[in-house]
Amino acid sequence: ELGFTGHDGLVLEDAPHGIAAAHGAGMVCVGVVGSATRAELEHHADHVYDSLLGVGPAELRAVWTAART
C-alpha cells in the first residue's frame, strides 16, 4: 500500500494523452515506456521509467514526493 488517496494519487501511464488526463485530475503521473518513447513521455510525465521491473513503493513514493514539493 502506498498510502495515497484522491488527488494524492499516483498514475502509471504509457501515453502522453493519459499523462495529460492524470495531470488534469490533479494526480502525479509516472510515464512508462511502452506505446510512446522515452522522449515523448519526458515532456509530459513527472518521471519516466523504461520498465517497472525493480521499481517498488519506495521509489514511487519518492517520485510523488518530489513532484509535490
Side-chain angles (χ1 to χ4, degrees), residues 5-67:
T5 61
H7 289 289
D8 292 331
L10 177 75
V11 176
L12 305 175
E13 181 58 61
D14 69 345
H17 290 295
I19 294 168
H23 284 158
M27 297 183 189
V28 173
C29 192
V30 171
V32 181
V33 175
S35 64
T37 66
R38 172 176 270 281
E40 292 171 315
L41 298 176
E42 285 177 334
H43 295 288
H44 305 281
D46 295 293
H47 189 81
V48 177
Y49 288 107
D50 292 314
S51 168
L52 291 177
L53 290 174
V55 177
E59 290 86 1
L60 295 175
R61 185 178 301 279
V63 169
W64 183 88
T65 300

